[in-house]
Amino acid sequence: MIMNKLSYKDTLDDYVLNLELAKLLAISSNAYRFWKDVKAAKYDESKVVFLKKDSIPFKYQRYIQMCTDLSGCVQVQAFCRYTSLSPSHFTKSNNSKIYTLFELMQISNVKFLNLKKFYDDLGLDFSYHIYIEKCKFFGPSPLEKKIKLGGGMCLGYY
């Protein structure tokens, strides 16, 4: 078993959520540790494990199609670290003004955000680095590129 670390901007296009696959197979979520040549990955400071689709043993390959497609998605926890946005913005009951800007999904207790769609919706190239904070902390427009998101929040990019 090979464990890789994903950067906060790495999308999960080629991965499945280990927890979801384990439930489908009715096996322990730690079983992947004993599979030969399986490639696992997780975001820094996260316990959630993802398995690379093409490294899952052949006898389980047919179950991959039953797993949720994570193309373009990142774990919400990773997005928060990447953009310095508080995780409280991803709780619907908090009535965050920017909650509606994101395409979110939840599998078991793991929340995901479609990062590629977010970039596309804002008209940004995926190569840009982004950060989100209150608009009052941004410099003047010619010096700092920003997009107003609502609720006094802005997205800066470079």
Side-chain angles (χ1 to χ4, degrees):
M1 189 238 358
I2 301 166
M3 179 63 77
N4 295 315
K5 290 216 182 212
L6 298 168
S7 77
Y8 296 136
K9 193 177 174 183
D10 285 342
T11 59
L12 299 166
D13 299 348
D14 301 325
Y15 292 91
V16 294
L17 178 63
N18 175 51
L19 183 63
E20 184 180 27
L21 182 64
K23 281 184 180 180
L24 283 171
L25 297 172
I27 60 174
S28 167
S29 61
N30 289 323
Y32 75 93
R33 294 178 182 200
F34 303 101
W35 296 345
K36 185 178 180 178
D37 300 325
V38 72
K39 294 176 185 163
K42 60 183 178 177
Y43 290 104
D44 199 21
E45 300 178 28
S46 177
K47 295 179 181 180
V48 179
V49 176
F50 303 96
L51 302 176
K52 190 136 184 162
K53 291 177 183 178
D54 62 2
S55 72
I56 294 172
F58 179 75
K59 67 181 180 178
Y60 302 130
Q61 286 289 317
R62 63 188 167 140
Y63 291 94
I64 293 172
Q65 295 173 352
M66 295 179 212
C67 292
T68 306
D69 183 19
L70 299 175
S71 296
C73 294
V74 295
Q75 190 177 352
V76 165
Q77 177 185 356
F79 181 78
C80 289
R81 286 201 169 88
Y82 174 54
T83 61
S84 71
L85 185 64
S86 171
S88 65
H89 289 283
F90 295 97
T91 304
K92 189 175 185 176
S93 61
N94 285 349
N95 296 321
S96 172
K97 300 286 185 205
I98 63 173
Y99 180 83
T100 57
L101 297 175
F102 305 107
E103 182 180 297
L104 301 169
M105 74 172 134
Q106 186 165 342
I107 305 169
S108 295
N109 61 343
V110 185
K111 287 185 181 179
F112 296 94
L113 175 142
N114 192 327
L115 184 61
K116 286 190 178 174
K117 184 179 182 314
F118 182 64
Y119 269 81
D120 290 345
D121 290 348
L122 295 173
L124 295 174
D125 188 83
F126 199 69
S127 64
Y128 282 125
H129 293 277
I130 61 174
Y131 54 99
I132 300 173
E133 57 185 55
K134 292 187 178 183
C135 295
K136 66 181 181 183
F137 296 123
F138 280 81
S141 289
L143 301 176
E144 202 164 9
K145 296 178 184 177
K146 66 182 175 186
I147 299 171
K148 289 190 178 188
L149 299 176
M153 300 295 282
C154 286
L155 176 136
Y157 60 97
Y158 59 93

